[in-house]
Amino acid sequence: DVKVTQSSRYLVKRTGEKVFLECVQDMDHENMFWYRQDPGLGLRLIYFSYDVKMKEKGDIPEGYSVSREKKERFSLILESASTNQTSMYLCASSFAGGADEKLFFGSGTQLSVL
Amino acid sequence: EDKVVQSPLSLVVHEGDTVTLNCSYEVTNFRSLLWYKQEKKAPTFLFMLTSSGIEKKSGRLSSILDKKELFSILNITATQTGDSAVYLCAVADSWGKLQFGAGTQVVVTP
């Protein structure tokens, strides 16, 4: 079974702190994604990566950055956390190419910024 | 601007009822439409649809795509309490990037 693992289920941080959210997948997927999920807004794409050291902005990249130094790991960084970044963060991965864009998701990290 | 709209936003049904969920979309360079079920945290994959008029079926769940009218429906027959979840619709563009709708919350009461 494909496994996408997010390092924390719940996280509480203070405004202004630097926050790292880690995601690891074990299926050798090329593509990795970070989404945030808010009530009534669904999943919104923050950043994605099609390869190591490669990153692309999604729909809402402001206030976030990412790092992909190894194929299996994709990190989301909040340089200076703010209260409007309180949300559920979901990491996902998928194979590149072909016709299968099916995403496999991690269990999510519920981040609260106080 | 690309968008994916799901309706209704929520519904409550009794066990045994049939449920129909709707997803309409406006996406440049459409490649496929996907349905996910989200019970606790991680959405789990249900269906991927690429061709119009071909129904995909898995047990009591089925889905169909209309690429001319730009929508899809997800049907759940003989609902059970275990079907209670948020159902997400997503549309992939030619790059494989997915745009999600807001989801439909389904509550099945005993």
Side-chain angles (χ1 to χ4, degrees):
Chain A
D1 271 357
V2 173
K3 199 163 182 184
V4 180
T5 303
Q6 294 184 230
S7 52
S8 306
R9 290 294 296 271
Y10 301 95
L11 215 49
V12 180
K13 296 291 181 181
R14 295 206 176 275
T15 302
E17 278 192 81
K18 190 168 186 175
V19 181
F20 292 87
L21 301 183
E22 305 286 346
C23 175
V24 177
Q25 50 93 4
D26 66 359
M27 277 302 288
D28 204 33
H29 285 168
E30 292 83 6
N31 303 335
M32 296 189 76
F33 305 82
W34 275 107
Y35 290 87
R36 63 177 282 176
Q37 185 175 26
D38 301 287
L41 296 177
L43 275 73
R44 293 180 292 164
L45 182 63
I46 305 171
Y47 267 96
F48 59 103
S49 169
Y50 289 141
D51 203 350
V52 177
K53 295 195 186 293
M54 177 269 173
K55 60 186 178 186
E56 293 283 345
K57 291 180 181 178
D59 300 317
I60 50 163
E62 297 78 19
Y64 303 94
S65 62
V66 290
S67 171
R68 191 154 181 214
E69 295 297 318
K70 293 185 178 181
K71 190 175 185 180
E72 68 270 20
R73 186 179 297 269
F74 192 35
S75 303
L76 180 69
I77 303 152
L78 287 66
E79 294 289 341
S80 178
S82 62
T83 54
N84 63 13
Q85 292 178 310
T86 291
S87 186
M88 168 65 72
Y89 289 87
L90 288 163
C91 174
S93 69
S94 69
F95 287 110
D100 189 355
E101 45 271 13
K102 183 170 69 181
L103 293 182
F104 295 87
F105 284 89
S107 296
T109 296
Q110 179 64 53
L111 173 67
S112 296
V113 182
L114 306 177
Chain B
E1 186 182 318
D2 293 349
K3 61 180 180 181
V4 178
V5 178
Q6 292 186 244
S7 63
L9 289 181
S10 66
L11 72 162
V12 180
V13 298
H14 294 295
E15 267 191 318
D17 287 351
T18 293
V19 163
T20 298
L21 309 181
N22 303 289
C23 177
S24 64
Y25 63 91
E26 291 176 28
V27 172
T28 308
N29 299 317
F30 172 90
R31 186 158 116 179
S32 64
L33 185 143
L34 296 89
W35 285 98
Y36 284 83
K37 178 182 181 182
Q38 187 176 24
E39 290 179 83
K40 301 285 185 190
K41 300 295 184 190
T44 54
F45 172 80
L46 294 175
F47 299 111
M48 184 170 80
L49 303 152
T50 55
S51 302
S52 274
I54 299 175
E55 186 183 52
K56 292 238 175 163
K57 203 168 166 63
S58 175
R60 295 176 294 101
L61 276 67
S62 63
S63 184
I64 197 160
L65 173 67
D66 186 326
K67 288 168 74 173
K68 184 180 175 188
E69 300 297 329
L70 307 183
F71 78 92
S72 172
I73 60 171
L74 175 68
N75 278 320
I76 310 173
T77 59
T79 51
Q80 301 171 357
T81 53
D83 295 325
S84 295
V86 174
Y87 290 84
L88 299 168
C89 172
V91 176
D93 64 15
S94 54
W95 287 94
K97 198 176 84 166
L98 270 66
Q99 174 117 4
F100 283 82
T104 295
Q105 170 90 55
V106 174
V107 175
V108 181
T109 61

